Amino acid sequence: MNKDRENEIIKILLAEKNVSVKELADRLYTSMPSIRRDLASLERAHLIKRVHGGASLDASALSDTKIPFIVRELEQSSAKAVIAEKAARLVKDNDVVMLDASTSAYGVIPFLVSKKNILIITNGIKALQAAGEYGIRALSAGGELLPSCQSLVGAETSRMIKSYNADILFFSCRGLTNGGLITDFSLEENYARRTMLEQSEKRVLLCDSNKIGKKYMHTLCTAADIDYIISENRLPEELASKEYLDTPK
């Protein structure tokens, strides 16, 4: 089992949807038997489906409310780095920063190391770990662990979040319609996000462009309820009034 190689396989499948064993072996400079073992491991994790001579993404894993964190972390990774760097420009010294459990919000943390005396409040397990690694003070929102999303959710999470007032919130979603509807398919995570929205002075949606124009079953809020949308590309005209580029409007 080679986790780095498995991650590379998922990256390829996210981009191409289907790929053969031979092509994977050639591109990853390894043997076909090794690739077959990697595919078997990924299939057991319900991330892919093996087909004759190759593999495809498991559509049910991608559409389930409990998307494995590894898949979300690999999606649009270069776009998320651009978004994270932009987002960090909005943070000032001494700010209280709320982050949801999304990989987009987690990606902002490395860009916050130059900020002085900030406090991060998050329900994301990986965000807490990253804050510790970078020496940034952080508080856990507590609550019940949602293992596949590496997030803390539930009534206890909301109660803790309501105890604090944040200067800024960074959060993400699975879909943003051109009309400004911000949606997801994880009700548990949306409940935590909604509390964060209520407790934050400034609200910033981090949204890579592949999510724009999509709508999922649970509505979190609308673009009218937030201050900025940050994406790696320019937003559609209907959302342009919320777009954050380099300096606040």
Side-chain angles (χ1 to χ4, degrees):
M1 184 185 304
N2 185 311
K3 288 300 179 185
D4 289 338
R5 198 164 58 227
E6 287 181 14
N7 287 354
E8 290 301 317
I9 290 171
I10 293 174
K11 286 182 183 179
I12 292 170
L13 284 170
L14 282 168
E16 302 178 19
K17 309 306 178 189
N18 298 278
V19 68
S20 71
V21 171
K22 184 179 186 306
E23 184 179 358
L24 287 171
D26 291 343
R27 290 170 67 170
L28 300 178
Y29 305 102
T30 191
S31 67
M32 291 174 64
S34 294
I35 292 295
R36 291 191 183 97
R37 286 192 292 272
D38 294 334
L39 296 180
S41 173
L42 290 168
E43 187 174 47
R44 286 193 296 271
H46 306 292
L47 293 174
I48 68 157
K49 287 183 177 178
R50 285 189 291 176
V51 298
H52 181 69
S56 63
L57 280 178
D58 186 339
S60 64
L62 286 175
S63 62
D64 193 270
T65 60
K66 297 179 179 180
I67 300 176
F69 194 88
I70 185 175
V71 174
R72 296 197 297 174
E73 188 169 10
L74 290 170
E75 287 179 314
Q76 299 293 312
S77 56
S78 60
K80 287 176 180 176
V82 173
I83 291 168
E85 193 275 333
K86 288 183 183 180
R89 299 177 201 166
L90 283 165
V91 178
K92 305 183 299 296
D93 292 346
N94 305 306
D95 272 356
V96 176
V97 181
M98 282 192 181
L99 303 176
D100 75 350
S102 67
T103 55
S104 297
Y106 154 74
V108 177
I109 294 173
F111 296 95
L112 298 179
V113 293
S114 63
K115 311 296 180 179
K116 297 177 181 177
N117 195 37
I118 66 169
L119 172 65
I120 288 173
I121 301 173
T122 183
N123 68 323
I125 298 298
K126 291 200 70 172
L128 286 167
Q129 292 173 334
E133 291 169 1
Y134 285 99
I136 300 173
R137 193 161 61 106
L139 288 178
S140 166
E144 180 182 356
L145 176 64
L146 196 60
S148 55
C149 299
Q150 291 291 285
S151 60
L152 298 165
V153 296
E156 290 296 326
T157 305
S158 293
R159 272 195 287 271
M160 187 276 183
I161 293 168
K162 285 180 180 178
S163 300
Y164 291 88
N165 301 303
D167 296 289
I168 192 165
L169 162 67
F170 295 115
F171 72 104
S172 191
C173 65
R174 293 302 297 182
L176 170 64
T177 68
N178 288 341
L181 202 62
I182 299 169
T183 66
D184 206 291
F185 36 54
S186 174
L187 277 67
E188 298 97 331
E189 290 190 284
N190 265 0
Y191 291 150
R193 290 178 182 127
R194 188 166 291 162
T195 309
M196 289 179 170
L197 286 164
E198 293 170 357
Q199 298 302 120
S200 301
E201 183 176 342
K202 190 174 293 181
R203 307 163 188 89
V204 183
L205 174 65
L206 310 179
C207 185
D208 45 81
S209 58
N210 75 319
K211 297 176 181 178
I212 296 173
K214 297 180 180 178
K215 181 168 71 172
Y216 295 90
M217 70 171 189
H218 194 259
T219 298
L220 171 62
C221 61
T222 71
D225 300 315
I226 65 175
D227 296 281
Y228 296 115
I229 300 169
I230 299 180
S231 188
E232 84 282 12
N233 294 325
R234 297 303 300 268
L235 295 175
E237 184 177 349
E238 302 93 323
L239 298 170
S241 65
K242 292 292 181 178
E243 184 171 8
Y244 174 76
L245 297 172
D246 295 314
T247 56
K249 299 179 182 68

